[in-house]
Amino acid sequence: MRKSNNLCFLLFFILITFSFNALAQSQFKISGNVIDSLKKPVEGVNIRLITDQDTLRSNSDAKGNFTFAKVTRNKFYLSVTALGYKPYTSLYEIESSKKSSDLDPIMLKMESIRLDDVEVKVKVDPIKIKKDTIEYNAGAYTIRENDKVEDLLKQLQGIEVDDKGAVTAMGKKMTKLRVNGEDFFTSNVEDYIRQLPADIIAKLQVIDDYGDEANFTGIKTGTPQKMLNLVTKPGMDKGVFGGMNVNSATNNAHNLVTKGSIWKKTKQIGFGGRFGTTNNEFAKSNNEALNGNIRDKISKEFSINGSYDFSNGTNKSIQSNYLETFNPQGTINDLRESANNSRSLTNNINLGLNGATKKNYFNASLAGSLADTRNEAFSTSNKTGYIKQDLISNSGSRNSNPNLNGSINWSRRLANNKRSLSMGFNFGSNSGNSNSTINDIIRYYNETTNVLVKDSLLNRLVDNNTANSNFGGNIQFSNSLKKANDTSGYSFINFSYRFSVSRSRNLQTTTVTNPLGNRFVVDSLGQDYVSNFINQNFSIGYNTNSNRISYNFGLNFSPSIIIGKYQNTGQELKNYQLNFSPSANLSYQIKDNGNLSFGYNGYTTSPDFNKLQPIRNNNDVQNLIIGNPDLKATSSHTADFSYNKFGLKSGLSIMAGLSGSFAINSVVSNTVFLRDTLNSLKQQTTYENVNGIYNIGANYSVNKRILDNKLSLSINGNIAYSHNVFYTDNVLNRSSGINVSNAFKFNLNQEKYAFNTSASYSFSSNTYSVMNQNIKNVQVVALSGSASWIPGKRFRVNASASKSLNFGYSLYAGNPLLVNMGLNTSFLKGNNLLFSVQANDLFNQGALFSTSITNNSISENRTRFISRFIQATLSYNLSRFGGKKGRLNSNINTEE
């Protein structure tokens, strides 16, 4: 019996012991998120959770999230490792009463792996394509000594860099620059890609940016802008760079440029100065400029930024313009020559305050400018065809334009981040004073014999004063439609209201001098009116984002009113509008490195008050303008679709896009011919609403990279069709245009040399419903090539050539052959002193030539300048990054 009792007692003791152990080993749920220095999720990270009893293992998903569901201790270590990042280890202790805990995001820093005396070559993926980001691995491309980020960008698929440094990505201009996810100095893409060395860059990211506030709230609507983000190599997130550049050219052009930048992660200080002078038969200019900027964190959450720019210059230029206008009565040919001499003095200042915490986002900005410009112009206009007249005009003007504007924006996450509230306010004020002296001589010719019949002289003094002010605001509320613990993504419904109020005052007085020298005010050539514009926007939208897909759509209602009053006559004008437009955006991540995106947006534009006011404007004596008070607001709709795909194994990338736009109630001109007091023809322009204006376009780029990305073969092109509707002599007419271009490119980049060549063809055809379907065709065949040879560390030889064959222009465009050659050499221990000689347009065949089409008119422009010259440049460059002085040289941009 006693043995039985002892056995029962032993079993009871064991049971109690196991029960206490079970109670002591309560299970906890631990969740977290892994991000990089850009606050982007890191996928596939190895995570170990270590307690005194066991070790649990997990991996992060595509959003960087990880979860341990059965943790037996509230005190544990986390060990996080990922290829290319520094290991992370930390001790955690959570409250015993909490069964579920979300850890703060774990940020991993990049790390490079170096093996002494061993060269390791790893084949890296050149491109990673995500929903809203295309990421290029700099290590997959050729980076030569002294290369800049601009040289690296020129090797990337889908990226184009023009001669002035402007960058376009998939056909859209790059508008913002960041480094390591932070705003960089002034965010000027063109300037800093020519200063930053390419060998400090690890990755380049092209991001569809909806703005900082949208990134904070997650509500991404509207049309995104293209942003370039540079990710530096570890330790290269600070530096001092800049220098001095002096050049002189045989076209009597001389420049001195200084630039300096101090970059210490979050602290950025920059300054610069410039002086340039040009004096030759086609151009005469003197330009000077100073600028400075600063950006720094004043606390963990807030940063400030400011900049100041000053410029003063005089410029003289000569231009030729040929305008061909089609009308039912006949074609008007207008050959214009103009010489302009201008002087400008401008001051710009910008201030900003930015901050973000887990719950709040704040942004405030203030900007002001003061500009004073003077201009003297002499021009001639020789009209032939249906109208035979000459206009000789000599004018001088002075303008003063102060401007001030600012904004404040605030956002807050509410209720465990399930809701958010945003509010903003903005204001602006500017005024202008313009005094113009205009002397016109109009010569009239016999329509049959072309003999000069008479001329007319008109001298005017025009004084114009304007004052504009505006203010507006917005409020937005969003609410999550998913549970707080749902990790599959997020969905929001949002409501927003925006308003803007603007007021404009325009007072214009015209004084005319008669042949006897007497002056008198002409009321019909002056105007005095006040206009008020009130616009409101109510919208409702839905946003969702998950692992591979994100999209949003919404509806917008925009009531508006324009009220105008003429001070002299008391006449009033009122115009009410109510517009409706939808919007939608979609982004889908395709497996195997590809994505699809679609965007559709509608917006309304109220007609300008000058097009509404029914008072006759006689400023241009050959073209009277009368507004239409019954105009409706224009409703515009745009849509675009893009596809991006990169084969990691094949090295073949495909980028393609479709785009289109159409408008309802477009405002177009209606030009009629009238007889003036001398029984000669002049034009009168009014405005009407029309439907039927639309544009359709497509573009593509196919790129094949071989030889470890050293050789690139690509073909790209686009096709566009435009359809316009307009009036001439109260008759509704149409015009259409087709533009097609294709180019084949061959690029070879090696350490010691580079070779690039391309062949392209473009065709433009424009058809009009007037003049028996008159057709204007322009064709251009272009061949170009460039080469660089680097025989040693201190020398570089470059050459380029291009040949264009132009067909269909009315102005003489020629078929220019442009050949340029240059030599660069460096001195001193760190190659900091650079001397270069550049010979431009050896055969003197260059010209700035452009063409544009508006309704029933084709305009061709040619600017005269000296294209053949030799330029010598001496520059001293400082380039120190990561605390180590590098042998980096920079050609500072000396163009405006």
Side-chain angles (χ1 to χ4, degrees), residues 6-185:
N6 291 337
L7 180 61
C8 290
F9 177 78
L10 178 62
L11 292 174
F12 178 75
F13 177 80
I14 294 173
L15 179 62
I16 293 297
T17 302
F18 275 100
S19 299
F20 276 108
N21 287 337
L23 291 173
Q25 295 182 5
S26 298
Q27 294 183 348
F28 301 94
K29 181 180 179 181
I30 307 299
S31 301
N33 179 258
V34 183
I35 59 176
D36 59 16
S37 59
L38 299 175
K39 298 181 180 180
K40 297 283 187 178
V42 183
E43 182 180 4
V45 175
N46 296 317
I47 305 164
R48 292 189 301 161
L49 188 149
I50 305 170
T51 67
D52 56 357
Q53 285 192 339
D54 56 11
T55 298
L56 304 178
R57 290 176 172 82
S58 180
N59 294 298
S60 61
D61 61 17
K63 297 184 66 177
N65 296 325
F66 65 88
T67 300
F68 293 96
K70 298 179 179 180
V71 180
T72 59
R73 291 288 189 268
N74 68 323
K75 189 174 182 179
F76 54 86
Y77 284 92
L78 273 186
S79 175
V80 182
T81 58
L83 183 63
Y85 296 92
K86 293 182 178 180
Y88 172 90
T89 303
S90 183
L91 175 64
Y92 291 85
E93 184 174 0
I94 62 175
E95 296 181 15
S96 301
S97 59
K98 289 186 177 181
K99 302 304 180 183
S100 178
S101 295
D102 290 325
L103 306 180
D104 291 337
I106 299 173
M107 181 179 293
L108 297 183
K109 297 182 179 180
M110 293 188 62
E111 179 183 49
S112 59
I113 302 175
R114 299 187 62 182
L115 301 177
D116 294 337
D117 301 323
V118 177
E119 182 181 4
V120 180
K121 293 185 177 180
V122 180
K123 187 175 181 181
V124 297
D125 297 336
I127 300 179
K128 288 185 178 180
I129 298 178
K130 304 176 183 179
K131 283 188 298 183
D132 59 354
T133 303
I134 298 180
E135 182 177 275
Y136 302 87
N137 192 324
Y141 301 90
T142 301
I143 299 178
R144 294 174 291 271
E145 190 171 6
N146 305 328
D147 273 359
K148 301 301 171 189
V149 172
E150 177 186 18
D151 301 306
L152 181 56
L153 284 168
K154 290 179 179 179
Q155 301 181 52
L156 307 184
Q157 300 93 307
I159 305 294
E160 297 289 338
V161 184
D162 67 14
D163 294 336
K164 293 184 178 181
V167 184
T168 56
M170 281 65 74
K172 296 182 179 180
K173 185 177 180 180
M174 201 83 69
T175 58
K176 182 188 274 188
L177 172 68
R178 283 184 171 175
V179 176
N180 297 328
E182 301 289 340
D183 290 327
F184 194 70
F185 289 91

Side-chain angles (χ1 to χ4, degrees), residues 649-664:
K649 295 182 179 180
S650 65
L652 179 67
S653 64
I654 301 174
M655 298 179 177
L658 295 172
S659 62
S661 65
F662 69 94
I664 301 173

Side-chain angles (χ1 to χ4, degrees), residues 507-525:
L507 173 61
Q508 178 176 295
T509 304
T510 302
T511 303
V512 174
T513 304
N514 62 18
L516 299 177
N518 299 320
R519 293 185 176 183
F520 56 94
V521 176
V522 180
D523 292 335
S524 62
L525 297 181

Side-chain angles (χ1 to χ4, degrees), residues 369-646:
S369 65
L370 178 62
D372 185 86
T373 60
R374 300 182 183 184
N375 186 72
E376 296 178 357
F378 177 80
S379 62
T380 61
S381 172
N382 305 113
K383 288 185 173 67
T384 59
Y386 183 63
I387 295 180
K388 295 181 174 65
Q389 291 179 6
D390 292 341
L391 173 63
I392 302 173
S393 180
N394 189 2
S395 64
S397 64
R398 179 174 181 176
N399 300 278
S400 178
N401 302 97
N403 179 52
L404 179 68
N405 60 80
S407 66
I408 298 176
N409 296 282
W410 170 77
S411 297
R412 179 173 176 82
R413 295 191 179 115
L414 307 171
N416 196 25
N417 298 334
K418 291 183 63 178
R419 301 183 180 93
S420 67
L421 177 67
S422 301
M423 292 186 290
F425 174 78
N426 61 83
F427 68 92
S429 176
N430 66 81
S431 60
N433 175 262
S434 173
N435 296 284
S436 305
T437 302
I438 306 172
N439 300 309
D440 293 334
I441 300 176
I442 305 176
R443 294 174 177 173
Y444 301 92
Y445 295 86
N446 183 279
E447 298 179 0
T448 304
T449 63
N450 292 330
V451 175
L452 179 64
V453 177
K454 53 199 169 185
D455 57 28
S456 173
L457 176 64
L458 179 61
N459 299 321
R460 289 170 289 158
L461 177 64
V462 180
D463 182 57
N464 194 11
N465 292 276
T466 61
N468 305 290
S469 60
N470 65 83
F471 68 91
N474 66 84
I475 183 170
Q476 177 178 271
F477 174 77
S478 63
N479 185 61
S480 175
L481 301 180
K482 290 196 174 185
K483 297 181 180 179
N485 58 358
D486 191 343
T487 61
S488 63
Y490 64 79
S491 295
F492 287 94
I493 185 170
N494 59 284
F495 306 87
S496 67
Y497 168 74
R498 300 176 183 273
F499 75 94
S500 63
V501 179
S502 62
R503 176 182 174 87
S504 299
R505 171 73 186 272
N506 188 298
L507 173 61
Q508 178 176 295
T509 304
T510 302
T511 303
V512 174
T513 304
N514 62 18
L516 299 177
N518 299 320
R519 293 185 176 183
F520 56 94
V521 176
V522 180
D523 292 335
S524 62
L525 297 181
Q527 49 189 326
D528 183 4
Y529 67 82
V530 176
S531 64
N532 297 278
F533 174 61
I534 302 173
N535 183 64
Q536 301 178 84
N537 180 273
F538 302 87
S539 66
I540 180 173
Y542 175 79
N543 287 256
T544 188
N545 184 46
S546 60
N547 186 20
R548 291 191 174 274
I549 188 171
S550 62
Y551 59 89
N552 66 76
F553 56 86
L555 300 175
N556 303 281
F557 301 88
S558 300
S560 64
I561 179 174
I562 296 178
I563 302 174
K565 182 177 181 179
Y566 294 88
Q567 303 296 96
N568 295 336
T569 63
Q571 182 179 359
E572 291 189 353
L573 166 67
K574 292 184 179 181
N575 188 290
Y576 298 91
Q577 306 288 339
L578 177 60
N579 303 291
F580 161 81
S581 60
S583 63
N585 289 280
L586 169 69
S587 180
Y588 177 70
Q589 178 73 29
I590 305 175
K591 293 183 178 180
D592 301 327
N593 222 16
N595 73 352
L596 290 170
S597 64
F598 170 79
Y600 173 82
N601 288 283
Y603 57 94
T604 60
T605 305
S606 295
D608 183 85
F609 184 77
N610 292 321
K611 295 180 179 180
L612 290 168
Q613 58 99 1
I615 304 300
R616 179 174 298 181
N617 184 340
N618 294 325
N619 289 343
D620 185 344
V621 295
Q622 289 186 309
N623 186 15
L624 311 180
I625 298 176
I626 303 176
N628 179 2
D630 297 323
L631 288 178
K632 299 178 181 179
T634 301
S635 177
S636 302
H637 303 264
T638 63
D640 59 82
F641 171 84
S642 65
Y643 169 77
N644 300 301
K645 173 75 174 179
F646 180 74

